[in-house]
């Protein structure tokens, strides 16, 4: 029998050469198309996700205003409490949304919905599915972030045009968390394992300096928190919102770039274990 | 086909025990996260961390910030857990696993089934609140013995909200989307706007009225009253009456809907 | 019904056309230390209708999943359409239609959207999909439910939709894992008709089934699997000739008497190829001449409550080879 076959991946773009062959068909946009079809009906649920950070902003910004007074922000500027927490809430909600999408949603679709089984019986590759799902999470996250930023502008708590850069920054944060979340999900077996996501996310939300400066901590704790990803996100967005730029921001960006790369690499490596058994 | 059943060997028995331990460990883990880990995180980060900032800023509350917020956290946690425990298990009992239909085939009446479910929620909330109180005390968030009243107060507040949620769960025919809405648009805002973090007098007029409607605010006032004092007898009666009203109305509707649902 | 005017040949321009569309040697699948498929050889030429039979757990679905390129092989070699599933999974799957044993419909979408999105997964254009979807809805008899959610459909309707979905990309190879389980007789015949016509158009069919009539109707060639191995192979007719007798006499005795009766009859049989088989409710006599065997039984003083004589079927082959009832 003659089987002259075209070399695998000959047509795949250079970007994906490094991946195992047969992972990617360049068609993740149809995974997005599916998500749009589904959520056209459930738009209220999507819409509702936009409100959570706003509730925090209004409640704590207004109510703690007198109790906390002004807070020292980036570059030593005094900020109102609302202006202090707003960018941090934006970073936190980018994290929360991305983690939720990449762990809960992916896990349930995988284990119970059989959705990925159907997708992978077609000419889609696992990477199409992963990129499509992460892409959808980012689009959602981007919409929330944009909405939140409009509110911030309306409230007059953005200090410069640099604040516009918070949108791509928030997307980068979401991408990094989403990629790592998905990588972690590939190791989950039962849905009780999702509890552990909560264990990681809740303290990060509460301790990463969303609500106060880290100098209230003893030194050791401050150092620990400064290593956590959310703190980098908060610092980055806070600086952008205040328009106070310095080189340390590149460090934050690099942190998330590395996180995203690691997350995608592990996910890609684990995906056929996860999806093709 | 072979009909020879394997004899129940000792290793099978051990497997059963192992399985139970395994399942049990998962449940304990999840209860630990909700009951101990989460309270710790809130007490440390917002009670003590944010408290440091507030106390440094010439705290006008009369007590350390932790003493001020901890009873409110305890009450809010009780309400949130109770809401979830009333919502999903009851909906599942009707829709997915249909346990209630099974129970209704015994001499139990629908009202008894309803009461039993709520009783179970109340017990769990009570236990959670005791643990929460211990955590508060461990970090210096308590100043006087009256604070133990936080436990029954939180339980009552939680049930005042759980009973109507149970009624909704019994009414709802479709899957849980409605509950997502309930948590996002009612429970979370309630936590944020019921004077948990600050006196409601800090809120604008409309925000204050939202708090007055919310059962959580009434529960928080009572719990804080027990922790700090400074609360009048009439106010206590008023708050209690309002919470009882929520509970009784919720319970009546829930019992009625259980009856309707189970006689179909 | 109008038969296709000419034997349309499947589009083979996209890659070289091997004679064997599926070629497996020593194909093995293990889960942990359990071996589900134990070194089987399968070769399916273009245009053939090929069947896997076998009792529950024989390894049919595991084999089908490897052929569908959704499960990696443990060892051995496998080529589909002349390509390697590991490195060219997407390119192979682009030309397969798959009906998995368990439906994997998208429960969050409507019936029509299921077909549409599935076609999109294959990279088909909206314009190309529209007429296709209408045809497939009609075939699945779901036109009325086109815009309903999938979740509340009946089991058989879901199955029909899964089958329709597998045809959306005009596959070269159609893999059907127990396609008709749960279908009513009418839907089953609609499917058979469609499969027959697809075969005429040159589509290669691979199916598993527990219905022997289905296997006889549809398959040019069959293998019987048991415990991960192939225990027999051939056309339905060849299998019957090789593994059964020409006729079967079925005798039903009063409950509890079947075994004793079978023992007595056993002594009456002609040659070594003939034999008696005791089922819980009846005795089967595998013989060359059924009427003669019946007459002998009567002569010997046995009086069954009822009896009949029929030709051997695949079912008898299956029983003989696997020692089990078909649907156990
Ligand atoms: N993912 C898996 N993990 C572990 N064991 C598996 C897995 N899938 C199948 N098996 C085992 O492999 C064996 C063959 O299963 P398979 O599904 O291929 O059988 P089958 O011939 O399709 O049976 P049926 O007629 O019941 O569909 C069974 O013993 C099954 O338990
Ligand atoms: Mg099977």
């Amino acid at each position: 029998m003659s089987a002259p076959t075209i070399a695998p991946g000959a047509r795949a773009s250079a970007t994906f050469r490094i991946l195992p062959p047969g992972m990617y068909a360049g068609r993740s946009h149809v995974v997005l198309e599916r998500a749009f079809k589904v959520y056209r009906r459930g738009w209220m649920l999507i819409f509702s996700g936009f409100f959570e950070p706003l509730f925090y902003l209004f409640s704590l910004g207004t109510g703690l205003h007198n109790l906390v007074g002004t807070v020292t922000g980036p570059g030593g500027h005094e900020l109102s409490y609302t202006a202090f927490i707003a960018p941090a809430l934006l970073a936190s909600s980018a994290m929360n949304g991305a983690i939720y999408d990449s762990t809960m949603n992916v896990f349930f679709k995988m284990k119970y919905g059989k959705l990925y089984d159907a997708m992978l019986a077609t000419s889609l590759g696992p990477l199409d599915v992963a990129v499509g799902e992460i892409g959808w999470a980012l689009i959602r996250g981007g919409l929330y972030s944009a909405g939140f930023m409009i509110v911030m502008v309306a409230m007059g708590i953005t200090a410069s045009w640099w604040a516009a850069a918070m949108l791509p920054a928030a997307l980068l944060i979401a991408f990094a968390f989403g990629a790592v979340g998905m990588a972690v999900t590939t190791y989950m077996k039962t849905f009780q394992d999702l509890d552990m996501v909560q264990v990681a996310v809740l303290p990060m939300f509460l301790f990463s300096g969303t609500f106060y400066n880290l100098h209230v901590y003893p030194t050791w704790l401050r150092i620990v928190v400064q290593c956590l990803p959310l703190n980098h996100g908060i610092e980055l967005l806070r600086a952008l919102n205040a328009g106070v730029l310095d080189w340390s921001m590149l460090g934050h960006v690099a942190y998330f770039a590395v996180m995203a790369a690691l997350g995608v690499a592990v996910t890609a490596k684990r995906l056929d274990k996860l999806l093709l058994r | 086909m072979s009909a020879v059943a394997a004899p129940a060997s000792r290793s099978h028995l051990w497997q059963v025990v192992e399985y139970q331990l395994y399942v049990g460990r998962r449940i304990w883990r999840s209860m630990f996260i909700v009951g101990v880990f989460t309270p710790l995180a809130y007490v440390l980060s917002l009670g003590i961390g944010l408290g440091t900032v507030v106390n440094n800023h010439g705290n006008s509350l009369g007590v350390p910030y932790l003493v001020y917020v901890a009873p409110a956290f305890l009450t809010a946690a009780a309400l949130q857990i109770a809401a979830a425990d009333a919502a999903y298990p009851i909906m599942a009992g009707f829709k997915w696993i249909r346990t209630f239909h099974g129970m209704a085939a015994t001499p139990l009446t629908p009202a008894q089934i309803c009461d039993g479910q709520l009783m179970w929620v109340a017990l769990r909330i009570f236990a959670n609140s005791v643990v929460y109180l211990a955590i508060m005390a461990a970090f210096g968030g308590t100043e006087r013995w009256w604070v133990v009243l936080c436990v029954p107060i939180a339980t009552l507040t939680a049930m005042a909200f759980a009973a109507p949620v149970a009624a909704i769960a019994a009414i709802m025919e479709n899957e849980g989307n409605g509950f997502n809405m309930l948590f996002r648009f009612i429970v979370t805002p309630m936590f944020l706007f019921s004077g948990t973090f600050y006196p409601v007098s800090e809120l604008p007029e409309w925000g204050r009225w939202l708090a007055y409607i919310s059962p959580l605010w009434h529960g928080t006032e009572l719990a804080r009253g027990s922790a700090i004092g400074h609360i009048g007898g009439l106010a206590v009666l008023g708050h209690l009456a309002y919470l009882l009203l929520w509970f009784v109305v919720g319970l009546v509707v829930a019992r009625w809907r259980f009856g309707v649902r189970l006689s179909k | 019904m109008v038969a296709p005017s000419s034997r349309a040949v499947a589009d083979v321009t996209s890659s070289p056309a091997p004679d064997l569309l599926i070629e497996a040697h020593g194909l093995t699948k293990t889960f942990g230390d359990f071996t589900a498929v134990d070194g089987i050889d399968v070769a399916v030429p273009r245009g053939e209708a090929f069947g896997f039979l076998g009792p529950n757990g024989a390894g049919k679905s595991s084999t089908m999943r490897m052929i569908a390129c959704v499960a990696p092989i443990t060892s051995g070699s496998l080529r589909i359409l002349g390509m390697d599933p590991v490195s060219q999974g997407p390119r192979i799957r682009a030309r397969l239609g798959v009906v998995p044993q368990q439906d994997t419909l998208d429960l969050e979408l409507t019936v029509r959207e299921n077909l549409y999105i599935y076609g999109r997964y294959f990279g088909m254009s909206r314009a190309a999909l529209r007429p296709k979807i209408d045809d497939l809805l009609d075939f699945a008899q779901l036109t009325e439910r086109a815009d309903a959610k999938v979740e509340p459909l009946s089991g058989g309707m879901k199955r029909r939709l899964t089958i329709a979905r597998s045809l959306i990309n005009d596959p070269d190879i159609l893999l059907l894992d127990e396609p008709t389980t749960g279908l009513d007789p009418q839907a089953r015949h609609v499917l058979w008709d469609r499969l027959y016509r697809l075969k005429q158009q040159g589509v290669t069919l691979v199916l598993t089934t527990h219905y022997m009539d289905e296997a006889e109707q549809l398959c040019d060639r069959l293998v019987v699997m048991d415990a991960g191995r192939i225990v027999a192979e051939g056309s339905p007719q060849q299998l019957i000739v090789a593994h059964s007798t020409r006729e079967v006499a079925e005798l039903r005795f009063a409950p509890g008497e079947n075994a004793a009766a079978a023992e007595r009859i056993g002594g009456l049989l002609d040659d070594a190829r003939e034999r008696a088989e005791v089922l819980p409710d009846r005795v089967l006599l595998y013989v060359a001449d059924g009427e003669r065997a019946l007459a002998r039984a009567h002569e010997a003083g046995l009086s069954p409550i009822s009896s009949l004589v029929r030709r051997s079927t695949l079912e008898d082959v299956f029983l003989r080879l696997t020692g089990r009832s078909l649907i156990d």
Side-chain angles (χ1 to χ4, degrees), chain C residues 86-158:
Chain C
V86 175
S87 59
Q88 291 177 293
R91 287 191 63 203
I92 300 172
R93 293 197 299 265
R95 291 161 61 188
L96 303 182
V98 178
V99 176
Q101 184 167 0
Q102 243 131 39
D103 294 329
T104 54
L105 294 169
D106 194 326
L107 300 182
E108 292 178 285
L109 297 176
T110 65
V111 171
R112 186 190 296 279
E113 286 170 342
N114 257 280
L115 294 172
Y116 170 80
I117 280 292
Y118 204 73
R120 296 286 290 156
Y121 292 159
F122 283 103
M124 298 169 71
S125 74
R126 269 157 250 234
L129 278 169
R130 206 164 301 128
K132 262 211 116 70
I133 289 174
D134 287 332
D135 166 54
L136 288 174
L137 281 173
D138 184 49
F139 158 61
Q141 297 166 291
L142 286 169
T143 308
E144 262 117 81
R145 306 292 290 265
D147 296 311
K149 277 260 180 108
V150 164
E151 174 99 80
L153 293 185
S154 82
M157 290 174 176
K158 285 186 183 143

Side-chain angles (χ1 to χ4, degrees), chain A residues 277, chain C residues 29-32 34-37 53-65 101 177-178 208-210 225 228 326:
Chain A
R277 269 154 297 136
Chain C
K29 178 82 191 174
T30 60
F31 297 104
F34 175 77
T35 304
V37 179
L53 303 184
N56 291 140
K60 304 180 296 295
S61 298
S62 305
T63 307
M64 293 291 270
R65 287 172 51 79
Q101 184 167 0
D177 197 349
E178 299 189 28
T208 79
T209 181
H210 288 301
M225 286 185 77
L326 286 181

Side-chain angles (χ1 to χ4, degrees), chain A residues 229-241:
Chain A
L230 183 58
N231 181 249
H232 289 269
I234 291 172
E235 294 291 325
L236 179 60
L237 293 197
R238 221 167 239 161
L240 285 174
N241 189 48

Side-chain angles (χ1 to χ4, degrees), chain A residues 44-45 48-49 51 55-56 59-60 63-64 66-69 190 192-193 195 199 202-203 206-207 211-212 216, chain B residues 26 29-30 33 37-38 41 44-46 49-50 53-54 57 65 177 180-181 184-185 189 192-193 197-198 202:
Chain A
M44 226 0 230
L45 201 61
S48 69
F51 285 96
F55 288 145
Y56 271 89
S59 163
L60 300 183
L64 288 176
N66 288 332
L67 288 175
V68 174
T190 71
Q192 280 96 342
D193 290 342
D195 288 346
V199 170
L202 180 76
L206 289 174
F207 288 99
F211 301 105
Y212 44 82
V216 304
Chain B
R26 292 228 154 99
R29 191 170 79 186
S30 147
I33 292 169
F37 183 81
T38 308
L44 290 176
S45 117
L46 296 179
L50 182 61
V53 179
V54 173
H57 185 64
Y65 190 63
N177 262 1
N180 287 334
M181 293 292 156
R184 285 192 166 163
F185 285 115
L192 290 168
F193 289 96
F197 297 92
Y198 46 81
E202 296 291 326

